[in-house]
Amino acid sequence: MLRGVNAPAPPPLCDAALAAVLLAVDPAALGGIWVRARVGPALDGWTAFLRACLPDETPVRRLPIHVADDRLIGGIDLAATLRSGRTVVERGLLAACDGGVLIVPMAERMTGATASRLAATLDTATVVAEREGISAVWPARLAVVAIDEGRDDDEPVPAALLDRLALAVDLAAAPDEYPGAMPDAVDRARRGLAGVRVEEREREALCAAGLALGVDSMRMAVAALRTARAHAAWVGRQTVEGADLEAAVRLVFALRATRMPAEPEEAAAEDADPPPSAPNETDQSPDHADSDPAGDRLVEVARAVLPPDLLARLAAGLAPRRPGNTAGRRGEGAASRRRGRPLGSVPGDPRRGDRLNLADTLRAAAPWQRLRGRQGAAVIVRPEDFRVVRYRHRSESVTVFVVDASGSSALHRLAEAKGAVELLLAECYVRRDQVALLAFRGEAADLLLPPTRSLVRAKRMLAGLPGGGGTPLASGLDMAAGLARAIRREGRSPSLVVLTDGRANIGRDGAPGREAASRDATDAARRIAGESLPALVLDTSPRPRPEAADLARAMAGLYLPLPQADAAAVSRAVIAARGG
């Protein structure tokens, strides 16, 4: 055994406290902890306990929400460079945290660029600064505590970061008080960690438990193995046993589960031997007989430790809020130099109305002062040194529904549109997006619902929409394009969703005639393509027809036949087409 004769056994710990202890035992290998918590006493108490578990000399830093690259990875020390007349490089926050822990509050709001920086640092244990004419490499062997303060409908923490954090805990049921500091026990576990062994059977059992819960990442399987070893070292064992595996399942897999593990009866049915057509293949292998109980026990542990809300969501067929990379989503915003959230600086000319970033301008000029013949305290700045502030502003998304309200099946199509708009409005409440609705029938098109988020108003306007008459498809597309242009002028991002069978019989001038009406509709669709408007054509005919597919091609949009569409199917198609 690893534990000495006089060494007391470690006290029993809840999972929140155990995660903090195991991170202190093996911080670099585990990478960090994903902590789901709200700001309050529970988070403060857990953070204080984590600090108490770490050695006194361990650096602990907090990452600002909108940290700049020079603060994160390092760059030119402007004051020292201007004083000395030569380039002076300073370390960033990651290098300063070498050998310690980086706490990331509001990790769900982290940008993709920052998450990539942290992921690269965790992978290589170094931070590389190659910018502003400098090139430097510093050691940065650290662990990250990503505090996820979001709700289920908020943006997830970037997957690039979470996939490198072994542990995951939810502080919703955390205790009010934690044990006192245990530096001796943590130090003893650190010394004994190298001698802990893991048998092949335990490795297979952990992988089987992860697959049963829908956690199919190889990184998470390795993380669970490292967690089991750290737990064995903590309790004083030289070999990983069942209790260590169960701790790994709870701390690594539980919050990341995406499906319900199979019931024992179902698993037995799936693993049953085939009929006696292969008499030489039996299940009497000792290895097979010995490996099943361990895997079954871990699956049962997995079922028992799933959080109640997660268990209910999985049972209802709803996957949990999955980490994902949200960079580049529609509506997230575009780079701007006038308004929005600062994103750093770029070369530019402040005389064009852009805001000058004085600090970055001086950083760009500092390395060249000797060559420019600097005298005294003056700094020689040239036009190529100017740096202006770049911003990111949110661009609202507006989905414009263009509904064919003509013909005998109009009521069916309008029912689909009504359900889709209502479902999307529920999404828009969280996403801050808008929808608009226009319908075409008879000889013209009508704007029924200007861009809005109001579910009540949408229901009221849709309820009174009549159906029947001719199909002025070109008029509907022209009105949709005009509305989209107006939306763009207001700085928002429009997308079109056209519900039609593609058959037009009323032209732009209101005159009947299928041939002329089809030409006008094709011309209107090509104009939409020329303006690069995202578009989706939903074919609502009983059977897919070539007219709707041709319309989608002319519009340079997506085509989706929905012969038996319901509101939920339309809503899913629209959200997928918009990249949301």
Side-chain angles (χ1 to χ4, degrees), residues 421-445:
V421 172
E422 292 179 5
L423 288 175
L424 282 174
L425 280 171
E427 297 282 340
C428 292
Y429 182 79
V430 175
R431 298 162 58 91
R432 301 297 182 186
D433 296 341
Q434 296 185 343
V435 297
L437 176 68
L438 62 89
F440 55 92
R441 59 181 293 272
E443 298 180 355

Side-chain angles (χ1 to χ4, degrees), residues 369-534:
Q369 295 306 297
R370 285 192 176 183
L371 295 178
R372 294 175 182 177
R374 171 190 174 191
Q375 299 293 330
V379 178
I380 301 174
V381 179
R382 294 180 178 174
E384 60 266 26
D385 302 326
F386 288 144
R387 298 294 185 269
V388 296
V389 181
R390 182 180 59 168
Y391 300 93
R392 179 174 294 279
H393 68 277
R394 178 176 175 82
S395 177
E396 281 189 330
S397 296
V398 182
T399 301
V400 180
F401 283 89
V402 186
V403 182
D404 184 351
S406 64
S408 59
S409 60
L411 292 178
H412 179 63
R413 286 194 290 268
L414 292 182
E416 295 166 5
K418 181 191 300 186
V421 172
E422 292 179 5
L423 288 175
L424 282 174
L425 280 171
E427 297 282 340
C428 292
Y429 182 79
V430 175
R431 298 162 58 91
R432 301 297 182 186
D433 296 341
Q434 296 185 343
V435 297
L437 176 68
L438 62 89
F440 55 92
R441 59 181 293 272
E443 298 180 355
D446 296 315
L447 178 61
L448 302 178
L449 184 68
T452 182
R453 298 189 189 98
S454 173
L455 182 60
V456 175
R457 187 181 178 192
K459 290 180 178 179
R460 184 171 64 248
M461 296 302 297
L462 287 168
L465 176 61
T471 310
L473 180 54
S475 298
L477 296 180
D478 287 341
M479 178 175 285
L483 178 59
R485 285 192 293 269
I487 292 170
R488 274 185 171 173
R489 285 195 295 269
E490 296 173 356
R492 294 178 288 177
S493 301
S495 56
L496 306 182
V497 179
V498 184
L499 285 83
T500 182
D501 57 9
R503 291 178 290 179
N505 56 21
I506 303 294
R508 278 196 177 103
D509 56 0
R514 289 191 179 276
E515 185 176 351
S518 296
R519 287 198 303 268
D520 289 346
T522 302
D523 177 68
R526 288 172 178 168
R527 292 185 181 184
I528 290 174
E531 297 186 25
S532 300
L533 290 171

Side-chain angles (χ1 to χ4, degrees), residues 109-121:
R109 301 188 182 182
M110 182 187 303
T111 64
T114 302
S116 298
R117 298 282 193 192
L118 292 179
T121 301

Side-chain angles (χ1 to χ4, degrees), residues 140-423:
R141 192 173 177 84
L142 52 86
V144 174
V145 176
I147 301 175
D148 183 356
E149 303 174 23
R151 300 178 182 269
D152 283 339
D153 51 6
D154 287 337
E155 294 296 336
V157 180
L161 176 61
L162 286 192
D163 207 29
R164 289 160 173 82
L165 308 183
L167 307 173
V169 294
D170 193 331
L171 299 187
D176 296 331
E177 296 183 358
Y178 289 90
M182 297 173 286
D184 293 339
V186 171
D187 182 66
R188 189 162 47 242
R190 283 187 169 189
R191 294 196 307 269
L193 181 62
V196 177
R197 302 187 305 275
V198 186
E199 301 296 337
E200 187 65 25
R201 181 174 57 183
E202 278 68 30
R203 298 174 190 267
E204 294 177 356
L206 274 180
C207 292
L211 291 176
L213 290 169
V215 184
D216 51 5
S217 168
M218 289 300 298
R219 288 183 184 271
M220 289 300 98
V222 174
L225 178 62
R226 292 173 175 174
T227 301
R229 293 184 69 250
H231 186 271
W234 166 248
V235 299
R237 280 191 284 268
Q238 292 181 328
T239 303
V240 169
E241 298 180 0
D244 308 315
L245 301 180
E246 293 173 8
V249 169
R250 297 197 310 270
L251 296 178
V252 179
F253 294 147
L255 287 186
R256 295 180 167 99
T258 60
R259 63 170 174 256
M260 291 282 291
E263 296 285 352
E265 293 80 2
E266 299 175 4
E270 293 176 358
D271 294 339
D273 288 334
S277 58
N280 293 330
E281 297 180 5
T282 66
D283 60 349
Q284 302 303 316
S285 169
D287 292 340
H288 180 78
D290 292 342
S291 61
D292 281 344
D296 293 342
R297 183 179 68 252
L298 289 184
V299 170
E300 287 303 308
V301 169
R303 293 181 60 86
V305 301
L306 289 179
D309 59 338
L310 179 61
L311 194 64
R313 288 171 62 86
L314 293 178
L318 301 175
R321 186 169 65 100
R322 296 188 64 123
N325 189 357
T326 58
R329 289 192 338 153
R330 181 179 300 279
E332 174 64 18
S336 169
R337 298 187 183 180
R338 300 301 174 96
R339 60 188 177 89
R341 178 169 60 85
L343 279 182
S345 62
V346 294
D349 189 346
R351 293 173 295 183
R352 298 178 180 174
D354 297 327
R355 182 179 176 183
L356 178 68
N357 188 318
L358 180 59
D360 285 355
T361 298
L362 293 177
R363 285 191 181 93
W368 309 99
Q369 295 306 297
R370 285 192 176 183
L371 295 178
R372 294 175 182 177
R374 171 190 174 191
Q375 299 293 330
V379 178
I380 301 174
V381 179
R382 294 180 178 174
E384 60 266 26
D385 302 326
F386 288 144
R387 298 294 185 269
V388 296
V389 181
R390 182 180 59 168
Y391 300 93
R392 179 174 294 279
H393 68 277
R394 178 176 175 82
S395 177
E396 281 189 330
S397 296
V398 182
T399 301
V400 180
F401 283 89
V402 186
V403 182
D404 184 351
S406 64
S408 59
S409 60
L411 292 178
H412 179 63
R413 286 194 290 268
L414 292 182
E416 295 166 5
K418 181 191 300 186
V421 172
E422 292 179 5
L423 288 175

Side-chain angles (χ1 to χ4, degrees), residues 59 61 69-77 88-99 127 129 134 136-140:
R61 303 284 190 272
D69 265 0
D70 59 334
R71 179 74 181 102
L72 182 65
I73 65 174
I76 294 177
D77 186 333
V88 178
V89 180
E90 64 175 346
R91 299 189 307 165
L93 188 60
L94 295 179
C97 201
D98 180 36
V127 57
I134 65 173
V137 180
W138 295 285

